[in-house]
Amino acid sequence: SQTIHQWPATLVQPVGSPLSLECTVEGTSNPNLYWYRQAAGRGLQLLFYSVGIGQISSEVPQNLSASRPQDRQFILSSKKLLLSDSGFYLCAWSVPAGVTGELFFGEGSRLTVL
Amino acid sequence: AQKITQTQPGMFVQEKEAVTLDCTYDTSDPSYGLFWYKQPSSGEMIFLIYQGSYDQQNATEGRYSLNFQKARKSANLVISASQLGDSAMYFCAMREAYSSASKIIFGSGTRLSIRP
């Protein structure tokens, strides 16, 4: 069966510090991978998605970046965090083709920037 | 461009009553899929139900059904016989088949609270 894990689950970082969130998927190959951010009590904002190794589509211009060094690994990074980067970050995967592919989510990473 | 709108920020419903959560969407793609997710206070995202744009019948999954009105571009979620455990955030989402096949966007959500 397929599983998705992301870490760390919780982190508190000072403004201007770097960030690295990691997500891995098991039990499937060539998945689409996604990073979403959710501000407190708000909806999910699509940040990045990837259809293959090294292929990243960015949805929102910001100081975040994403990389996909391996087929089932997706990393969200920042060189210098801003206060506005605080939120709940969700990694997800879906099958690579067809509209019937729902998203399967990781457990989430709660980031607080102080 | 694709867009999802949920106009109800919050709803209160008495236990055992049915509830309808609204979702409207906008797309120029003839083929697309619509999804509903539930997010309890724990933060996990739980997939509830799917409706394809070419499906002839409305989707149903247990107590969940989707009232799909293609001409009006609406995909409302109906929860029958609500339970206390249904209290959560609910999100509508859409995936287009052609123009941006891998992009899945979400509405702003509706917070549902069930009263005992």
Side-chain angles (χ1 to χ4, degrees):
Chain A
S1 63
Q2 302 91 356
T3 59
I4 177 170
H5 296 292
Q6 61 177 108
W7 66 92
T10 306
L11 64 167
V12 180
Q13 297 283 103
V15 169
S17 64
L19 171 73
S20 180
L21 301 178
E22 188 166 341
C23 173
T24 60
V25 180
E26 297 294 334
T28 187
S29 58
N30 195 31
N32 286 353
L33 296 173
Y34 304 80
W35 278 111
Y36 289 87
R37 178 170 62 198
Q38 183 179 24
R42 307 294 292 275
L44 275 70
Q45 179 187 34
L46 178 60
L47 300 176
F48 302 95
Y49 65 96
S50 170
V51 300
I53 296 175
Q55 302 178 59
I56 308 296
S57 297
S58 174
E59 286 298 298
V60 182
Q62 57 211 331
N63 68 321
L64 299 174
S65 62
S67 62
R68 185 171 177 172
Q70 300 180 46
D71 180 45
R72 291 169 295 176
Q73 184 185 27
F74 205 24
I75 298 171
L76 182 70
S77 304
S78 174
K79 292 182 179 178
K80 289 186 178 182
L81 283 169
L82 306 173
L83 288 174
S84 57
D85 291 324
S86 293
F88 189 53
Y89 289 80
L90 286 157
C91 180
W93 75 272
S94 76
V95 296
V99 291
T100 57
E102 75 263 31
L103 284 170
F104 299 92
F105 285 88
E107 307 94 333
S109 298
R110 195 167 301 279
L111 169 66
T112 303
V113 182
L114 301 175
Chain B
Q2 56 180 334
K3 185 178 179 181
I4 291 278
T5 302
Q6 293 181 255
T7 58
Q8 306 155 309
M11 290 186 69
F12 288 88
V13 173
Q14 203 67 30
E15 189 180 9
K16 299 182 183 178
E17 289 184 350
V19 56
T20 298
L21 305 181
D22 295 340
C23 173
T24 58
Y25 59 91
D26 190 21
T27 178
S28 56
D29 204 313
S31 181
Y32 50 89
L34 296 157
F35 309 84
W36 277 92
Y37 285 82
K38 172 183 178 181
Q39 187 183 41
S41 57
S42 60
E44 64 181 310
M45 293 290 286
I46 302 169
F47 168 70
L48 296 178
I49 196 166
Y50 164 81
Q51 179 81 45
S53 59
Y54 290 119
D55 291 344
Q56 295 298 312
Q57 294 185 327
N58 287 344
T60 60
E61 288 288 347
R63 292 187 299 114
Y64 304 108
S65 60
L66 205 152
N67 183 3
F68 181 48
Q69 298 187 44
K70 193 171 182 177
R72 298 179 61 181
K73 293 189 175 179
S74 73
N76 299 339
L77 177 70
V78 180
I79 306 175
S80 63
S82 58
Q83 303 171 356
L84 295 178
D86 294 332
S87 294
M89 282 287 287
Y90 288 81
F91 294 101
C92 181
M94 176 172 69
R95 178 175 188 170
E96 294 175 330
Y98 300 116
S99 55
S100 54
S102 296
K103 185 174 161 182
I104 303 176
I105 63 166
F106 285 76
S108 56
T110 296
R111 182 173 297 280
L112 177 63
S113 300
I114 308 298
R115 293 181 174 135

